[in-house]
DNA sequence: CGTGAGGTTGATCCAGGTCAAGTGAAGTGG
DNA sequence: CCACTTCACTTGACCTGGATCAACCTCACG
């Protein structure tokens, strides 16, 4: 957790927290509040008996840790995939409204379908879909935009490939012209 | 949809509907209510631009079609994987309670993690996990139990394998002794 | 009984896993 | 400011698990 800032936004004041790539936001079993992803991306992992397994990917607008309102603690580990900003969800305590919950529920189901699609098809398309997903959710409808790429390890976990295969896929995407390298682990993407 | 029955259950009367394997419960875009899965299993598919893609698997206790309360129509296709019984969810209309929605939300996130785990590891373990998932959710803590196996096609879609590979995996599981054939597309499973 | 959909099994091929040997960038201590 | 370390990424060579293609079998149902 790097910084906290108070931003006036519309009529209400919001508190947000920025996280850097690789940071742990929370771990399963610990206590805390539910968060909304303002920007960036977060991976949720189920820490199974043996090791930690990728469970799903939260992007801008998604709510993470909602189960804490029910169980009092988190069910998953949350780690930053690309630098992100979080804000508290449902600041005013008490019984959350049905409407907000229904929207969150619909979003989670959509997110599930997206995550599953990242594990179908060949390596090149999985990685392409992942990168487009990260960009489009962050900055929709811009012809060319910048992105902070996740680590190969994260992309490999998400797509169920190896880091080597992801690296090769990204090389191909660069040759294709989808990605242009822009410094260390940053790229610009052609979305047109 | 094969039959409707009214069952006294506790103090309240419930209406349930039984579906046979392969039946379509609803399609994306159509109107209807939200359902709770009483038994059996249902696959939800996103009908993408090209073809229908597996999005997630609903088991006993899961709610499907909740998005209809928000959008007025379904977002996914729902098809029966193994014979199932559904009941309406939130019979009395109006704003659903926060508690019930939170539970449903937590269940969906759990379901996502389960579905993702069916697309990790080698073919044998994916199929094994799928079968154990279908059994455990249906009849927990029984040493040996019966199961109506889904079609190879369904199992292949869910695990992102081919039908041939699933068939070979099931043969191995039979040799292992996990599965015993009991007639056409039925089996008993050793859960001890 | 005949037909068709689903399941099984074998042979072959290749995408991606695995192993290994680099390279480049960000730090770190002198 | 510069060695030195370290971690992430890259690239090559090889091998294997599962896809693909094909032939066949089995049950359910009309």
């Amino acid at each position: 957790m790097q910084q906290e800032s108070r931003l006036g936004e519309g009529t209400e004041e919001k508190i947000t927290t920025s996280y850097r790539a690789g940071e742990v936001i929370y771990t399963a079993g610990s206590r805390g509040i539910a968060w909304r992803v303002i920007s960036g991306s977060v991976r949720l992992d189920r820490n199974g008996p043996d090791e930690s397994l990728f469970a799903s990917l939260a992007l801008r607008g998604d709510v993470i840790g909602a189960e804490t309102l029910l169980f009092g603690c988190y069910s998953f580990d949350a780690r930053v995939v690309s630098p992100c900003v979080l804000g508290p969800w449902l600041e005013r305590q008490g019984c959350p409204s049905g409407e907000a919950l229904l929207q969150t529920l619909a979003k989670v189901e959509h997110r599930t379908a997206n995550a599953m699609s990242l594990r179908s098809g060949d390596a090149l398309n999985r990685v392409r879909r992942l990168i487009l997903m990260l960009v489009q959710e962050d900055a929709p409808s811009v012809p060319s935009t910048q992105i902070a790429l996740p680590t190969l390890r994260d992309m490999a976990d998400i797509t169920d490939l190896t880091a080597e295969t992801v690296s090769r896929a990204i090389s191909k995407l660069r040759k294709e012209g989808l990605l242009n390298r822009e410094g260390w682990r940053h790229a610009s993407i052609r979305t047109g």
Side-chain angles (χ1 to χ4, degrees), chain A:
Chain A
M1 189 182 312
Q2 288 313 300
Q3 64 185 71
E4 298 217 343
S5 57
R6 292 184 116 77
L7 300 171
E9 185 172 300
T11 56
E12 55 181 350
E13 187 181 41
K14 300 225 174 188
I15 303 171
T16 62
T17 312
S18 298
Y19 292 85
R20 286 185 307 188
E23 272 190 281
V24 172
I25 298 170
Y26 56 74
T27 56
S30 62
R31 301 177 149 276
I33 63 170
W35 299 91
R36 157 154 275 144
V37 179
I38 312 283
S39 70
S41 54
V42 175
R43 58 182 283 187
L44 299 175
D45 296 277
R46 170 152 66 180
N47 45 3
D50 42 353
E51 71 203 296
S52 179
L53 286 179
F54 174 75
S56 83
L57 184 68
L59 302 173
R60 197 198 51 199
D62 286 331
V63 170
I64 61 173
E67 70 277 11
T68 201
L69 299 176
L70 191 64
F71 306 133
C73 63
Y74 298 115
S75 301
F76 298 91
D77 295 342
R79 280 188 35 232
V80 175
V81 167
S82 59
C84 67
V85 178
L86 304 185
W89 187 59
L90 293 180
E91 303 82 351
R92 16 197 178 315
Q93 325 270 78
C95 190
S97 85
E99 181 80 3
L101 274 168
L102 270 179
Q103 275 176 6
T104 302
L105 184 56
K107 224 175 238 290
V108 169
E109 296 193 328
H110 192 71
R111 187 210 289 174
T112 299
N114 279 343
M116 292 303 287
S117 80
L118 293 175
R119 286 169 173 238
S120 307
D122 63 15
L124 186 60
N125 284 309
R126 290 190 202 189
V127 175
R128 195 207 313 276
R129 245 177 269 138
L130 171 58
I131 288 178
L132 289 176
M133 211 175 277
L134 292 175
V135 171
Q136 287 177 347
E137 298 285 334
D138 239 21
S141 73
V142 175
S144 173
T145 177
Q146 283 231 4
I147 174 182
L149 289 174
T151 65
L152 291 182
R153 181 85 211 114
D154 278 333
M155 291 192 277
D157 287 346
I158 292 168
T159 54
D160 195 40
L161 299 167
T162 59
E164 293 93 327
T165 300
V166 174
S167 176
R168 283 183 249 264
I170 288 191
S171 295
K172 275 188 200 157
L173 293 176
R174 285 202 245 264
K175 278 174 199 137
E176 265 186 22
L178 178 72
L179 276 174
N180 276 3
R181 188 175 302 201
E182 308 235 327
W184 181 244
R185 228 193 270 163
H186 282 256
S188 66
I189 286 149
R190 177 176 50 77
T191 51

